[in-house]
Amino acid sequence: MPPGERLPIAPGLDLPRSELEFQASRSGGPGGQHVNTSSTRVEVWWDIARSPTLSDEQRARLTARLGARLDGSGRLRLVSSGSRSQLRNREEVTERLVRIVADALRIPKPRKRTRPGRAAKAARLEAKRRRSATKRERRRRPEEE
């Protein structure tokens, strides 16, 4: 396939544009006569569950991370209607798809457990002492009664 027909998502993953299903429709909301006559709103659908491009591990990661965005059959749907140009909306929704999928495929670094340093412990205890002293001074003293 020529390079323009593949969408680079992440290292090791180029999505064929043939797997994406685009659909144009009329944008909603106000906007005068232009909005009533032109189909500039763009939807893109990508069937993650049946995509031959994805490995089983990538499919599982995407399904887990994007589960709330998927429909019942495992398809991801994104919509763009911000521009009056269908081409610009198509480009914008494709960029968003790339960004969302790349972010979902990113493996987070494992967290290294750390302990607070000596200065942090001392500062915490000093703050507790100051707070305690403030509360102690607010109490009624027996000689004032």
Side-chain angles (χ1 to χ4, degrees):
M1 257 182 209
E5 294 187 28
R6 295 189 76 79
L7 202 56
I9 302 280
L13 179 63
D14 286 345
L15 183 65
R17 288 184 187 264
S18 59
E19 287 190 28
L20 300 178
E21 185 182 319
F22 290 93
Q23 184 176 357
S25 60
R26 290 187 179 164
S27 290
Q33 294 172 334
H34 178 78
V35 124
N36 297 330
T37 59
S38 55
S39 299
T40 57
R41 177 179 178 264
V42 176
E43 279 183 59
V44 64
W45 293 85
W46 181 37
D47 195 348
I48 292 175
R50 291 173 194 77
S51 173
T53 309
L54 295 173
S55 68
D56 290 337
E57 180 184 331
Q58 289 171 330
R59 189 180 334 277
R61 181 173 296 282
L62 286 174
T63 304
R65 299 279 301 273
L66 300 176
R69 291 177 171 263
L70 302 179
D71 67 2
S73 61
R75 290 172 22 145
L76 176 65
R77 173 184 167 261
L78 295 173
V79 177
S80 176
S81 60
S83 171
R84 286 175 56 167
S85 160
Q86 185 183 114
L87 178 63
R88 182 64 203 128
N89 282 334
R90 186 180 175 118
E91 290 169 353
E92 195 271 332
V93 79
T94 305
E95 289 167 11
R96 264 193 23 234
L97 176 88
V98 169
R99 213 172 34 247
I100 288 170
V101 172
D103 188 45
L105 286 173
R106 190 172 303 117
I107 300 171
K109 281 193 219 172
R111 182 185 177 276
K112 292 181 184 175
R113 294 188 64 187
T114 59
R115 292 177 180 242
R118 188 179 298 153
K121 284 183 185 176
R124 182 179 59 85
L125 293 174
E126 179 56 34
K128 287 178 74 167
R129 273 193 282 277
R130 277 196 308 270
R131 184 76 177 144
S132 174
T134 301
K135 290 186 169 225
R136 195 177 329 111
E137 289 171 11
R138 288 184 191 153
R139 284 194 218 133
R140 285 182 181 242
R141 295 189 179 100
E143 65 268 8
E144 290 178 2
E145 291 178 359

